Amino acid sequence: MSTFSIFLILIIIVCLLLMLVVMVQNPKGGGLSSSFGGSGNQVVGGVKKTGDFLDKSTWTLASILIVLILLSNVALKSNFQEAESKLLQQDGVESVPETLPDEIPEEVPAQEGASPIDTLQ
């Protein structure tokens, strides 16, 4: 498994987590934080200020996603450079010898008054 494949799997996982976090949020300030009591001062389920947690997790996952995408680009370029260098090496490649005919035919001069088609027949 190449490093690009590993980055691709991580990108997919982060995207799924980011979708989950965004879907839980309510754009009007409600969402999960309002269903646990409304005000952010209460502690429900061990999480204080659920809205702040979801905001921070959204920004963190988005930042991780950007970093993973940039790193996967670097990994992809390094994979292509390795492939190019293998193709450019001449050790395993046999060169095709240049073949020339043994005898070169002489040019036949054209006859006067004859068309080019007549000379070919």
Side-chain angles (χ1 to χ4, degrees):
M1 185 181 282
S2 68
T3 54
F4 179 73
S5 299
I6 294 170
F7 280 122
L8 189 61
I9 292 169
L10 290 173
I11 287 170
I12 291 172
I13 292 171
V14 169
C15 284
L16 291 175
L17 289 173
L18 188 59
M19 285 184 349
L20 178 70
V21 169
V22 169
M23 294 299 283
V24 168
Q25 293 177 2
N26 188 356
K28 295 178 184 175
L32 186 62
S33 61
S34 67
S35 66
F36 281 145
S39 65
N41 296 332
Q42 296 177 350
V43 176
V44 176
V47 179
K48 187 174 182 180
K49 296 186 179 181
T50 309
D52 292 340
F53 171 74
L54 292 175
D55 286 341
K56 287 180 183 178
S57 61
T58 302
W59 284 105
T60 303
L61 287 172
S63 301
I64 290 172
L65 182 64
I66 291 172
V67 169
L68 285 174
I69 289 171
L70 293 175
L71 289 175
S72 68
N73 190 18
V74 171
L76 185 63
K77 285 184 180 181
S78 68
N79 285 344
F80 279 135
Q81 288 176 354
E82 289 175 7
E84 279 184 17
S85 66
K86 288 179 185 176
L87 289 175
L88 294 177
Q89 292 175 352
Q90 294 295 328
D91 295 338
V93 178
E94 295 179 14
S95 61
V96 178
E98 189 175 320
T99 57
L100 295 175
D102 294 335
E103 295 180 16
I104 300 175
E106 295 181 18
E107 293 184 22
V108 178
Q111 299 174 357
E112 287 186 38
S115 68
I117 294 176
D118 292 336
T119 57
L120 292 176
Q121 297 175 351

